[in-house]
Amino acid sequence: MNDEATRAYSYFPGCSVTATNRAYDISTRSVAGALGVELAELDDWNCCGATAYLPIREKRSFVLSARNLAIAEKQGRELATICNACYVVLRKTNKHLAEDPKLHEEVCQALAAGGMDYGGTVRVRHFLDIVVNDLGEEAIRSHVTRDLSGLKVACYSGCQLSRPFDDLDDPEYPELMGRLIGWLGAEAVPFPMSAKCCGGLAMTTRPEIGQTLTGKILKVAKQAGADCVTTCCPLCQINLEGYQGAVGAAIGADCSIPVLYFTQLMGSAFGLGQKELALKDSLTPVKALLAEKVGT
Amino acid sequence: MTTAKAEELSRELLENVYELPHGEKINECIQCGTCSASCPSIAAMEYGPREIVASLRAGMLDRVLNSNTVWLCVSCYSCTIRCPAGIPFADVMYELKRLEVEKGLSKDSEGATMAKAFVETVDDHGRSVETKLLRKYFLRTNPFKALPQVPLAMKLFFRGRLEIFGRKIKGLENLHKMLAAIEENETK
């Protein structure tokens, strides 16, 4: 379905990267540009429904996702996402529609009310998957211009990159991001918390749960000797970077560690500038770390 | 709650679960407890996943739905991926959440309030707008609990990361037509 010559994908940014986590969107586009990957943003995309719409109105949430998939189907390319929740919800919609023809028909009837249709052919991909599996080691290594050796990274994949769909990465011990970090020249430290939950929305609704879960991740990252944590999901990122003081106090451990998107570290290795990677958005000392270790 | 009501809840839940891909696997639960051992929020739950299935079989689902349990599920899918019987338990949790809201049994649940505020925000804009979502959520729960969020909000604000006025998608009217059309079929 992809155009091999230009490596073009449809692109679904997702709501949270339009403002709070825009650094993820900005750095993704910059990295894609450097790699010669075209990301064509879906025209007038809407919220995928995320994990919070589904438990209130399931079928409406399938319609929300299906509208995006319908727009992507017209472009005839695979659909790249950068948010783990969008990735799961869009894939889940595909799966439910494929396994339940009656539901597919109902959803298509609903789409028709707004002048759209969805045949069910769009393959949903996480950008991390595209970078590692479509581009591969040689292409990534050939773009590295800065020396990342000596930088120790705790790769945090989060829940939904490899669960419930376990065909992309190991659901217990993910290794996709670690491979990429190695190609960039940095060292991925053994990090058993990579696929443990950060608490997601519980950081807001039940802070005592969210703080404990996020705290364990940050604490172990420090114990593992990491200089920083890399993420591939905007909600994980804000939980890990935004509450380190409160989290540290809650679990009685030092939880201060720079947290950045894997795309920011990629861009850094590729020689991209601070602005192209939106490093000033960071809530943790990412700029200082990269200035010291990489020279960004 | 009467026994008849509990049975009705079980029946409704199972009807919905059987419609899920692999939903019928719920009958193959061997009560091994792998789900409960894998759950990151079980410490705060009154009933863990294994107890939920046991309650369902015992005709006592009303206890689960009247407790703090189901909205503590954080959708990490650890139970689902590890279940030796192949039960998609995170999806069963979604069904339980919907049933609880539908029956009006989750009035005090922060998770349910958040999810409802999320649905309203997305319906209004076609997208999620975090500032609007959080304002709705804290006004409906406890506005004072928003205070610990203020330092983070200020940091985000000074970095230009807060979206104060949510933009609406261009096709919002058509999206509303689509949502209304699916609603005509049924309310699930």
Side-chain angles (χ1 to χ4, degrees):
Chain A
M1 205 154 94
N2 277 328
D3 185 342
E4 286 293 329
T6 57
R7 293 251 181 238
Y9 302 83
S10 294
Y11 174 51
F12 181 77
C15 304
S16 63
V17 305
T18 58
T20 319
N21 301 290
R22 63 186 180 181
Y24 195 14
D25 177 55
I26 293 167
S27 56
T28 296
R29 289 177 198 259
S30 298
V31 163
L35 289 167
V37 171
E38 187 193 338
L39 295 178
E41 182 171 342
L42 282 191
D43 182 38
D44 202 37
W45 54 270
N46 58 272
C47 171
C48 68
T51 41
Y53 206 108
L54 201 60
I56 302 289
R57 286 271 183 272
E58 184 186 42
K59 284 190 179 169
R60 283 171 69 117
S61 111
F62 287 146
V63 171
L64 286 172
S65 276
R67 180 179 175 275
N68 294 313
L69 292 165
I71 300 169
E73 197 168 56
K74 271 190 160 174
Q75 297 185 342
R77 294 169 179 156
E78 294 185 347
L79 181 60
T81 81
I82 53 174
C83 166
N84 290 4
C86 299
Y87 172 70
V88 162
V89 171
L90 291 168
R91 278 194 73 175
K92 205 167 179 171
T93 302
N94 262 342
K95 184 180 175 184
H96 282 244
L97 296 186
E99 295 194 8
D100 186 346
K102 193 171 144 262
L103 177 69
H104 191 170
E105 198 188 313
E106 282 176 45
V107 168
C108 281
Q109 278 172 5
L111 291 176
M116 288 191 187
D117 185 42
Y118 180 52
T121 61
V122 176
R123 189 174 169 211
V124 179
R125 309 280 305 274
H126 196 290
F127 187 61
L128 179 62
D129 173 23
I130 289 170
V131 166
V132 174
N133 293 319
D134 289 8
L135 290 159
E137 180 169 3
E138 209 176 312
I140 299 299
R141 281 192 190 275
S142 71
H143 283 85
V144 174
T145 59
R146 285 202 187 110
D147 182 16
L148 263 61
S149 60
L151 183 72
K152 294 184 173 180
V153 182
C155 296
Y156 180 69
S157 299
C159 300
Q160 301 192 349
L161 182 74
S162 55
R163 291 192 303 264
F165 301 106
D166 59 355
D167 51 358
L168 174 59
D169 205 349
D170 190 295
E172 304 285 351
Y173 299 103
E175 47 127 43
L176 212 57
M177 200 193 294
R179 268 157 67 196
L180 172 67
I181 297 299
W183 299 343
L184 297 178
E187 179 191 346
V189 298
F191 186 48
M193 301 302 284
S194 182
K196 301 291 183 213
C197 184
C198 71
L201 274 177
M203 188 62 98
T204 307
T205 55
R206 295 293 296 264
E208 74 284 8
I209 298 176
Q211 286 168 0
T212 307
L213 297 178
T214 286
K216 283 185 197 163
I217 294 162
L218 295 172
K219 186 175 125 185
V220 173
K222 285 193 80 106
Q223 284 172 346
D227 299 308
C228 61
V229 179
T230 48
T231 64
C232 60
C233 169
L235 187 55
C236 301
Q237 170 76 21
I238 192 81
N239 278 351
L240 296 185
E241 77 168 344
Y243 303 89
Q244 291 188 353
V247 162
I251 69 160
D254 181 11
C255 287
S256 52
I257 183 168
V259 182
L260 69 166
Y261 296 106
F262 77 96
T263 45
Q264 289 177 311
L265 194 61
M266 278 180 90
S268 198
F270 293 170
L272 300 178
Q274 294 191 4
K275 210 170 172 188
E276 291 161 290
L277 304 174
L279 297 185
K280 76 165 182 57
D281 274 19
S282 297
L283 300 176
T284 51
V286 169
K287 258 162 70 171
L289 174 82
L290 294 180
E292 183 202 327
K293 299 265 183 184
V294 192
T296 297
Chain B
M1 195 174 281
T2 62
T3 318
K5 188 77 191 270
E7 275 169 18
E8 191 193 316
L9 287 172
S10 300
R11 189 182 48 75
E12 273 190 51
L13 178 77
L14 284 176
E15 266 176 26
N16 293 334
V17 167
Y18 290 156
E19 279 185 26
L20 292 169
H22 313 294
E24 73 291 345
K25 299 259 185 192
I26 196 166
N27 294 322
E28 291 171 34
C29 172
I30 52 169
Q31 289 287 294
C32 69
T34 302
C35 47
S36 294
S38 306
C39 179
S41 40
I42 189 153
M45 285 177 174
E46 281 174 58
Y47 299 90
R50 174 172 65 168
E51 286 172 297
I52 292 174
V53 178
S55 305
L56 176 70
R57 288 175 173 173
M60 295 156 87
L61 194 62
D62 53 321
R63 296 187 186 197
V64 174
L65 294 177
N66 281 303
S67 75
N68 76 351
T69 298
V70 301
W71 285 95
L72 295 177
C73 168
V74 288
S75 302
C76 76
Y77 294 96
S78 295
C79 53
T80 304
I81 211 81
R82 288 179 178 171
C83 176
I87 302 165
F89 202 78
D91 291 326
V92 174
M93 280 301 227
Y94 281 130
E95 296 298 345
L96 284 161
K97 287 171 178 175
R98 262 193 296 283
L99 192 60
E100 202 177 278
V101 169
E102 196 187 307
K103 302 292 175 193
L105 301 173
S106 52
K107 289 187 193 72
D108 301 324
S109 158
E110 295 92 349
T113 308
M114 176 63 92
K116 284 183 215 163
F118 184 85
V119 168
E120 287 173 23
T121 312
V122 171
D123 286 351
D124 283 351
H125 298 267
R127 289 191 189 162
S128 165
V129 182
E130 282 147 29
T131 43
K132 300 212 169 190
L133 168 65
L134 291 176
R135 195 172 64 206
K136 273 182 207 282
Y137 171 75
F138 283 115
L139 283 174
R140 287 171 197 180
T141 51
N142 181 351
F144 291 106
K145 288 204 173 160
L147 287 176
Q149 300 278 345
V150 171
L152 175 62
M154 295 304 285
K155 281 187 211 164
L156 294 175
F157 177 76
F158 285 118
R159 284 166 177 78
R161 288 173 60 178
L162 280 191
E163 184 180 15
I164 311 291
F165 310 103
R167 278 168 299 176
K168 298 185 178 189
I169 63 165
K170 286 180 281 177
L172 189 60
E173 205 177 310
N174 276 342
L175 176 64
H176 285 161
K177 281 183 196 163
M178 295 174 188
L179 294 175
I182 199 88
E183 202 85 315
E184 276 171 23
N185 279 314
E186 55 187 296
T187 53
K188 185 181 158 188

